[in-house]
Amino acid sequence: MAPLALTRPVSRSIDRCQLTYLARGTIDIDLASRQHRAYEQALEAAGATVERLPAADDLPDAVFIEDTAVVLDEIAVITRPGAASRRSETVAVARRLADLRPLAVIEAPATLDGGDVLRVGRSLFVGRTARSNATGREALARICESFGYTMIPVDVHDCLHLKSAASWLGDETVLVDPAHVCPRDFEGLNILRSAPGETGAANVLKIGGLVLTAAAFPRTRRVLERAGFSCRVVENGELARAEGGLSCCSLIVDPVAY
Ligand code: CIR
């Protein structure tokens, strides 16, 4: 059975999105929407079934659905995003995930963004960032430990989320940007490094037999191809202006329990 990829349309209010590292500029909403549709087609090409949740035009960052939940085989954990403006995004996501998994919820004062949670087998690497606090990391650890997961906190420097700088590539391999995350924090795993100077390139999405990579990062794509990965290039330029990468725009639900 195919993995399910939940997505959410680009909101008409995206020009009011949260920004941490980038200056506010104009986002071309129609171009962002066209690029987002091409991203959904890339997910389908990788073998996923894409399901769009309803638009939320009053929630500027709703397209970045990854941050609203951590979906494991056994449970879906509904997050409490670190940015207050993003907290209502979880409502529609929880409603849909309730059909697919038992739910657990991260409660105040904990904060956790899904973009900070990198799963490799039974290890949950969780970024120490402004979006995910210690209470959030510990709440996730408590929820998931009975299913055999271990939570491993990871320092993240000068970028929004752990997954802005580290991605799972299947099996025991991760792609890491050493400018933002220390490769030694993934001891025991195979490490590939994104190309120096390609900030954001370590955010890729491995799905099926493909790795989706952003068009802006050709040198990192070559690193992946030389290592034997099949890549599909996706143009993500407009949503990158909202500090979104490729993993951020979907929640992948593997076909185990539905
Ligand atoms: C935010 O700052 O929350 C959004 N503008 C971007 C979120 C990107 N999500 C992700 O990296 N998982």
Side-chain angles (χ1 to χ4, degrees), residues 21-39:
Y21 292 99
L22 296 183
R24 196 167 295 282
T26 309
I27 296 177
D28 179 333
I29 297 171
D30 294 329
L31 177 57
S33 297
R34 284 199 299 280
Q35 291 178 349
H36 186 250
R37 271 196 295 281
Y39 168 81

Side-chain angles (χ1 to χ4, degrees), residues 17-20 61 64 66-67 86 113 115 131 160-161 164 242-245 247-248:
C17 66
Q18 288 288 324
L19 286 175
T20 306
D61 283 302
F64 303 120
E66 171 182 58
D67 293 318
R86 301 201 54 191
D113 276 15
R131 296 292 178 91
L160 188 59
H161 290 124
S164 314
E243 298 187 354
S247 71
C248 318

Side-chain angles (χ1 to χ4, degrees), residues 95-130:
R95 197 174 296 137
R96 180 62 182 112
L97 286 176
D99 301 330
L100 303 169
R101 296 286 192 274
L103 296 189
V105 179
I106 301 289
E107 311 269 9
T111 63
L112 186 76
D113 276 15
D116 273 322
V117 183
L118 174 64
R119 181 173 72 83
V120 181
R122 296 272 147 184
S123 299
L124 300 176
F125 295 91
V126 187
R128 291 188 173 107
T129 67

Side-chain angles (χ1 to χ4, degrees), residues 187-241:
E187 207 187 333
L189 300 178
N190 308 317
I191 305 292
L192 277 183
R193 294 166 184 245
S194 58
E198 286 196 340
T199 300
N203 179 271
V204 299
L205 181 60
K206 165 82 164 64
I207 180 158
L210 283 182
V211 180
L212 309 193
T213 63
F217 307 124
R219 288 184 294 122
T220 297
R221 176 168 51 83
R222 280 196 290 279
V223 169
L224 291 164
E225 287 173 345
R226 275 199 297 270
F229 292 95
S230 301
C231 296
R232 169 146 173 163
V233 177
V234 177
E235 180 53 74
N236 178 51
E238 280 313 290
L239 289 179
R241 293 177 199 275

